[in-house]
Amino acid sequence: MKTYGRLPLVLVRGAGVRVWDAAGREYLDFVAGLAVNSLGHCHPRVVAAIREQAGVLMHCSNLYYSVPQTMLARWLVEHTPYDRVFFCNSGAEAVEGALKLARKYAKKRWGEGRFEIVTALNSFHGRTYGAVTATGQPKYHQGFEPLVPGFRYVPFNDVAALEAAVTDKTAAVLLEPVQGEGGVYPATDEFIRVAWEICQQRGALLIFDEVQCGLGRTGRFLAQEHYGVTADITCLAKALGGGFPIGALLATEEVASAFAPGDHASTFGGNPLAAAAALAALRAIEEEGLVANAVRVGSYFREALERLRAQSGLITEVRGLGLMLGVVVKVPAKQLVSLCQERGLIVNAVKEDTLRFVPPLTISREDVDRAVAILQAALTAAVREIELNP
C-alpha cells in the first residue's frame, strides 16, 4: 500500500553509521531508521543477543513469564524512576496503552466524567486511532474522522493555554519533551514545569512521549531529566530494541495498579526475542557511554551547523538537544534531502523548510565533519538549481 512517500533508494546492508545500497554505494545514515538505530546498524551485541535467543525461545504468550522479558523489565525499573513496565511492539502502541491507562486510572480514582486528554499542537504520537487523535496536526486527522472523542489541543510551550485547558475533566496531559516529527522543538523549562505543577494540583496524570527523544538521544537517558520532573507515565520505543521492534510503557506503582488482568494486552509485546535485543541495546547504551557521546558529539555537531549557518546564510535556525537536531533552511528541505543523498548522506525533512538529524549515538566527530561538508555542498547545489530553474 502507498503509505510512505518512498525515496528511490534500496538499502541492502548496514554497519554502524554507514549503509550501502543495491549498487554498492556507501552512505552516512543520519536518519538511523527514524531514530531507531541509535547504536548504528547491526551492533554486534544486539546481533549476538538475537542470534542466541533465536536458538532458544523466540516467542511465548504473555500468559507466561520469560527470562529475557523479566530481565529487561528489571533493567528498566532499576534505571528509571518507574516501578512497572508494559511491553508492546511500537511507539504508537505504547501511546495507546498510556491513553487507556490514564483513563482507567482517572475513572478508578475520580469516577465518571474525567476522561479528557490534553495534548500539544504540532505533536506527533503515532498512527493508530488514539495516537493519531492525540497528534496535534490536522493533516494526520484528515480522512479519518470521526476521531476518538475527548481530546483537547494547546499550542506547544504556551503556558497560559495549558493552564486554561486542564480542568476537572482532564485525565492526563500528554507531551513530547522534544517534538521530533513536528520539527525538532524542545519544550521550554517553564512549559514542562507548569505542566507538572498543573497535573499535580488538579489530579491529572502527566504522560511523556519519549518514543523518539528518549534513551540517550538528547544527552540524557530520558529527555525529561533535562527538566527535573518525572512524568507519571513514559512511553518508549524506537531505540529500545537497537533495531528490533519493541515498545514499552513505564508507570509508577500507583498508576499502573489501575490496570487489571484483561484490561490491556499485546500478543507479541516484549516477546523473548525482542526483549533479548532490547536488553543488549540498553546495556550497550550504558556500558559504552553513548549518552555521554550524544552530549559531546551533539555539541560538536551543533557548533558545526552554527558555523555553516553563519558562513552560508542559507540556514536560519539550528535547534534541538544532543543528537536530535533540526536545521531550518532557506531552500526547499526535500530538495536538500535528494542533493545530500546524491553526495552520500541520508537525512530527512520534517517540514518544508526543516531537516531533522537523528544519527546513531555512536557517531564520531569525523562523521559529523563529513556530514556537514556534504550538507554545505548540497546547499550550494540547491541555490545553483534554483538560479538555473527560477
Side-chain angles (χ1 to χ4, degrees), residues 40-373:
H41 292 271
C42 301
H43 190 284
R45 295 173 71 165
V46 176
V47 171
I50 291 172
R51 283 177 172 158
E52 181 178 350
Q53 189 60 44
V56 178
L57 181 68
M58 278 196 265
H59 178 75
C60 65
S61 168
N62 279 315
L63 290 170
Y64 316 105
Y65 295 102
S66 76
V67 173
Q69 188 182 89
T70 304
M71 293 175 68
L72 177 60
R74 178 180 295 170
W75 196 99
L76 285 167
V77 299
E78 288 179 349
H79 289 77
T80 69
Y82 298 99
D83 308 304
R84 296 285 175 180
V85 184
F86 169 79
F87 292 114
C88 49
N89 303 288
S90 68
E93 199 181 333
V95 170
E96 290 288 340
L99 297 174
K100 287 181 67 178
L101 180 58
R103 285 189 167 177
K104 188 74 190 296
Y105 176 82
K107 179 168 287 190
K108 183 178 178 183
R109 179 173 179 184
W110 303 104
E112 300 292 336
R114 186 183 281 260
F115 58 87
E116 287 188 348
I117 307 291
V118 176
T119 73
L121 292 172
N122 201 44
S123 61
F124 181 81
H125 297 292
R127 305 278 188 166
T128 54
Y129 251 106
V132 81
T133 303
T135 293
Q137 298 190 58
K139 67 180 182 180
Y140 291 113
H141 298 168
Q142 293 171 2
F144 302 111
E145 301 89 346
L147 301 175
V148 178
F151 283 76
R152 302 181 69 179
Y153 311 92
V154 297
F156 193 52
N157 284 335
D158 187 330
V159 170
L162 181 64
E163 288 179 323
V166 178
T167 69
D168 59 4
K169 293 183 179 179
T170 306
V173 174
L174 168 62
L175 298 172
E176 297 163 280
V178 183
Q179 291 187 332
E181 196 278 341
V184 192
Y185 287 96
T188 64
D189 290 342
E190 182 185 20
F191 188 65
I192 294 295
R193 177 180 53 77
V194 170
W196 183 84
E197 289 174 353
I198 291 173
C199 288
Q200 290 284 310
Q201 293 164 3
R202 303 181 188 176
L205 297 181
L206 180 60
I207 305 170
F208 281 150
D209 178 346
E210 297 217 18
V211 168
Q212 185 171 142
C213 64
L215 302 177
R217 168 64 55 193
T218 66
R220 299 286 190 275
F221 184 69
L222 295 178
Q224 59 196 267
E225 294 172 23
H226 287 285
Y227 301 93
V229 303
T230 298
D232 300 288
I233 303 171
T234 289
C235 304
L236 299 175
K238 287 193 181 292
L240 182 58
F244 202 93
I246 182 172
L249 182 63
L250 279 60
T252 60
E253 181 72 49
E254 181 192 351
V255 173
S257 66
F259 270 166
D263 282 342
H264 194 57
S266 175
T267 295
F268 293 102
N271 72 33
L273 198 56
L279 187 60
L282 290 173
R283 285 173 171 170
I285 289 172
E286 179 185 32
E287 295 167 12
E288 296 177 16
L290 298 186
V291 180
N293 196 58
V295 175
R296 276 193 308 271
V297 182
S299 176
Y300 182 80
F301 192 9
R302 184 167 189 143
E303 290 170 3
L305 291 170
E306 290 287 4
R307 284 196 297 275
L308 181 57
R309 181 177 69 85
Q311 293 165 5
S312 71
L314 296 172
I315 295 174
T316 60
E317 184 180 1
V318 179
R319 58 181 176 239
L321 294 171
L323 284 172
M324 185 176 183
L325 296 172
V327 175
V328 184
V329 291
K330 293 182 178 178
V331 296
K334 289 184 178 178
Q335 182 184 10
L336 276 179
V337 169
S338 297
L339 290 168
C340 285
Q341 184 178 311
E342 290 172 7
R343 289 159 175 77
L345 173 65
I346 296 177
V347 296
N348 89 309
V350 286
K351 297 283 185 183
E352 292 297 321
D353 63 351
T354 306
L355 297 174
R356 171 176 51 180
F357 293 90
V358 283
L361 307 187
T362 54
I363 64 168
S364 65
R365 294 185 175 192
E366 290 72 24
D367 297 324
V368 168
D369 290 341
R370 183 180 172 193
V372 173

Side-chain angles (χ1 to χ4, degrees), residues 5-11 21-22 27 337-338 341-342:
R6 295 180 192 265
L7 297 167
L9 179 62
V10 179
L11 297 176
D21 67 15
Y27 303 83
V337 169
S338 297
Q341 184 178 311
E342 290 172 7

